[in-house]
Amino acid sequence: GIHGVRGAGKTCSLGSLYGFRAGGSVILDFADDATCHYLATVWKDLSEARVPGATLLAIPTTLHMDLTTSDDHPATPLQLCDYAGLLVEPKAEGASPAAHTLAAGVREWLRSCHAVLVFLDSSRPDLDQVDAIDLLLTEMRRPSADGPI
């Protein structure tokens, strides 16, 4: 999983993986048309020195890729989600029910991940980022109905 507030670089990092998919002993293969189309759009902006627009406040986009190393191990399938960073930030009073539902979906997805990469802007840390990390850690510590995660 990838966790970060608005503007933290989640989408740009995913687009960069698409543009630079082979490096050293690691190769990324993008596993479906929807993933290729989504990331190609992001990469086009980046390769033309433009910052992609903000990720839409909608159901997160699921991306599929396979990670292969040069040491003859089988490919490892990866599933990532790209979502609006607003969904992991504290909700303002009066936020819509749809925003709360989407945010709950992202929290549940992050809980299901085997690992979470956290994006922070250390050049200008603010309380929104600290609050978002607190919310993530609180969610990760919450017991699951199926037992510990």
Side-chain angles (χ1 to χ4, degrees):
I2 299 174
H3 180 277
V5 298
R6 290 174 289 171
K10 300 176 302 295
T11 301
C12 289
S13 293
L14 292 168
S16 295
L17 288 174
Y18 177 83
F20 299 107
R21 57 185 79 187
S25 62
V26 175
I27 299 170
L28 279 174
D29 294 311
F30 297 90
D32 60 37
D33 294 339
T35 296
C36 289
H37 176 71
Y38 183 84
L39 294 176
T41 303
V42 175
W43 176 245
K44 183 175 187 318
D45 283 341
L46 293 172
S47 66
E48 294 174 359
R50 291 189 311 263
V51 176
T55 303
L56 297 176
L57 187 60
I59 295 172
T61 301
T62 302
L63 306 169
H64 297 97
M65 53 194 81
D66 293 321
L67 175 71
T68 307
T69 61
S70 63
D71 53 7
D72 296 327
H73 283 97
T76 302
L78 301 175
Q79 179 177 307
L80 303 169
C81 284
D82 193 24
Y83 57 88
L86 183 64
L87 294 176
V88 296
E89 295 177 13
K91 301 293 156 273
E93 222 175 285
S96 73
H100 284 285
T101 300
L102 290 170
V106 169
R107 284 192 309 273
E108 190 59 35
W109 174 74
L110 286 166
R111 282 177 55 84
S112 74
C113 293
H114 294 283
V116 176
L117 176 64
V118 178
F119 281 49
L120 294 171
D121 183 354
S122 61
S123 67
R124 58 174 188 84
D126 58 32
L127 287 179
D128 285 342
Q129 289 187 70
V130 174
D131 289 345
I133 295 296
D134 282 346
L135 291 171
L136 171 69
L137 294 175
T138 299
E139 187 67 31
M140 300 300 261
R141 284 190 215 107
R142 185 166 289 138
S144 167
D146 301 327
I149 292 182

